[in-house]
Amino acid sequence: MNLLSSLVLIIVLCKTVSIDVLVPLSTNVPDSTLYPHVIHPRQPKRLNLSIHAPLHTNKFYSNAILGDYGNNPLLTHPYVISMSKDSPYGVSISLTEEWSYGPQIDSTRVKYFINRIVKNIQMSALEFLSQQFEVNNVDEPGFACTIKMFQSNSSATITLPLVRGMAYVTFEFVFATPRISTIHSILSVNGRTSGNITGKRFEIVLNNNQAWLLYALDGEITLEFSGNQLIGTNPVTNVLRLAKKQAEPSANAVLDAQVGVYPIACQLEARVIGFQGSYMFKWQRKGNLSKTLLHFTFPHHRSIISLVDGQFTNVEAMSASKGRMIGYLGNIWTLTENALSTMQFLAPHSPAIQYRNLIVTQLKKDLAVGANLTVSDYYFTGKEFHKYALLCLLADYYREIAEFNRCIKTLKDGFEVLITRKNANALRYDTTWSGLVSSAGLGQNQELNDFGNSYYNDHHYHWGYFIQAGAIIAHLDPNYVSKIRDWVEGLIRDASNPSSLDTSFPQFRYFDWFSGHSWSQGLFESADGKDQESTSEEINFHYGIALWGLATKSSTIEGLGRLMLGTAKRAIQTYFLMNNDNTVMPQQFIANKVTGIFFENKADYTTWFGTNPEFIHGIQMIPCTPITEEIRLVKFVEEEWVTILSKIVHNAVPEWKSLLYMNYAIINRHEAFIQLTNVSLDNGVSRTWALYWAATRPSTNDSNGTVSTRKPDLSTVSTTNTASSYTSTMVASALIQLLLTIIASKTPAMLI
Ligand SMILES: *[C@@H]1O[C@H](CO)[C@@H](O)[C@H](O)[C@H]1NC(C)=O
Ligand SMILES: *[C@@H]1O[C@H](CO)[C@@H](O)[C@H](O)[C@H]1NC(C)=O
Ligand SMILES: *[C@@H]1O[C@H](CO)[C@@H](O)[C@H](O)[C@H]1NC(C)=O
Ligand SMILES: *[C@@H]1O[C@H](CO)[C@@H](O)[C@H](O)[C@H]1NC(C)=O
Ligand SMILES: *[C@@H]1O[C@H](CO)[C@@H](O)[C@H](O)[C@H]1NC(C)=O
Ligand SMILES: *[C@@H]1O[C@H](CO)[C@@H](O)[C@H](O)[C@H]1NC(C)=O
Ligand SMILES: *[C@@H]1O[C@H](CO)[C@@H](O)[C@H](O)[C@H]1NC(C)=O
Ligand SMILES: CC(=O)N[C@H]1CO[C@H](CO)[C@@H](O)[C@@H]1O
């Protein structure tokens, strides 16, 4: 074998080694001299875990452990579960498959859609005379929690394993007398309208065109008609399961056949081989384990789920907000992304040569101004670090040695303050919820400081900027890695700890592997479930992890970042960035192009900080980096520009124009470049980076009719980001006001 072929073989081998990416970054408890340990001001309620495990803050079950009653909805999809605070004490289940639509914005689109939550069917026990329940089990990746309802002075309990995608709602009864009710009228049960009915399968027909199937797995039970309720004739110890009846008879036969086994939790596995990544859901089951689990898939699962390990059925239901779900038979799901991103630090295309001098001139101007890396908050300072790190990257790229040296020194000085925790609001390790939080929001009435960072809102957004800035230094000066590794990897562990072996943090606090994307809302009750608005800042986080792994030569961290990127990209392009031919989201809503705030139970074309269209679209663009081209594809950008952005860009808040024009460069490089030479800048973007980014776009439309013939001219360009602090303050105060209103009213319902 000659040298060349040996090299090729080595490369091939490296690429085909399967890497487990769910390995801990560390298992050390955060050092209390570096991260003072604190008890969180918001304590979980109704929690009694049988096995101590880090508790999730941003998963679907938070509502159960927050607030006085824990009665805000728990969205499992398709079923919506609510713990009843009034009689009959127990749970109510909603599956309406109906939405309300908000006001018409124009003839093509409505502002919001919201899934209707109705108490279609309620399950309780005769023994329950008040609301009493506790969460007594949670799984590691946040797919499941177990709720136990009980009553003091009674041995009756009902345990409810809630699992994302469950095809039936399961109730483990112990010495409890079933009490089934509804806000509708019960028309018949197994064709009967009165008396006692004994059996293992009940078909409960309601007057709202729904029927529900009730199964008893462990022997017959007897239910008696009592007014509009069905009451057990005896306390039972049995597993009962409810499912909404399907329209298609053969689908009900599938429900009948598969009912014997039920899910209680999930375990995650994830591996990367070269450019392919797979993640696996290993469902933990109870009941008749010789049966195969029937469980619902979301649309984004179906294009990548293995048909070797399982098969689809014709059992269907509409999810609350992510389109049609289809039942899949399989105890293990394997989902494979075949083309993981290979994006590195710089754009994969060189900047067009004609722009070079303008960019280099601008680079010198921007670096002469210096940086403001004084940390007190994390969101805006994170953006400053990232903005400045990108300048260092370009100083290196353009071989401006003196500028580069100055830049990297300034950046290191900035990090030095963080590493030595000399910044205001330095991070604390919260032992209640197992996480790193800003100390800015731990006092009374401070919960919304820094966008709620101390209450676990938005860490993936905030940390994403710092992680990427850290990755850039690591790339530019590998000797610096040992200095910042613990700090940067602490952020990764907090927001995206990949392994349950690292018991100092929950596994994947933000990323919801079932939904394929993250949720940004932390420890706040919500009538519509968790939400996320900035998918671009989510992507920035995953990209940051991939780059950190790349720069520090950790193939597991890099692989993890790239797998999350691929997964999030699919979900975002299925649900959040809607092409005109999107078939998943409601037709009335698609022409908005972007979802605005996407909750579990609704999407609202708005933002937390204002309703300007440039905010709604711009928050799905920031920050524009090399990865943006893989998420915002030309077809989407073209549709969004033609139907919405071209009409609003001229009247947009000035510094938001910088984002709109960077995005526009994807389809019209030259015109966008000219605009970017003189537009006010968002506080997270330097003019140098904006110009570089535009210049690295393909030459689409450079010479087509719509293109301006103007020549770019930098002689009048300003070097300061004049209006930027205005946006920051405005956005922050609007957000805080909005959240305060919501909290004051205690009805964090619709934002309209
Ligand atoms: C917590 O759970 C344990 C074990 O199931 C049980 O014995 C105990 O009574 C529970 N505590 C409370 C306060 O409910
Ligand atoms: C439950 O039992 C305790 C003592 O065993 C008693 O003090 C209490 O009043 C009882 N509560 C109810 C609701 O019966
Ligand atoms: C139903 O069964 C219960 C318990 O066996 C009995 O007390 C009741 O009379 C029965 N009701 C009817 C209508 O037969
Ligand atoms: C469990 O499921 C298998 C496969 O469907 C079936 O053959 C068996 O009878 C079931 N066992 C029980 C106890 O229901
Ligand atoms: C840097 O930013 C902080 C916080 O935004 C501000 O208080 C400070 O005055 C700024 N410093 C400079 C030199 O601009
Ligand atoms: C740049 O923008 C300012 C106002 O924002 C304007 O007065 C000036 O004419 C613009 N310069 C160019 C070259 O377009
Ligand atoms: C790009 O050019 C094509 C063909 O001239 C035109 O249809 C399209 O609208 C242009 N796109 C933009 C964003 O200007
Ligand atoms: C979309 C479009 O029509 N693009 C054209 C712009 O001009 C270049 C160069 O003339 C053509 O190659 C593109 O097809």
Side-chain angles (χ1 to χ4, degrees), residues 200 217 257-258 260 288-292:
K200 293 170 72 174
L217 302 193
Q258 305 304 324
N288 184 345
L289 299 182
S290 346
K291 289 196 180 287
T292 307

Side-chain angles (χ1 to χ4, degrees), residues 63-81:
N63 275 333
I65 50 176
L66 296 174
D68 290 340
Y69 302 102
N71 61 326
N72 276 295
L74 307 170
L75 283 114
T76 64
H77 298 284
Y79 296 106
V80 183
I81 309 295

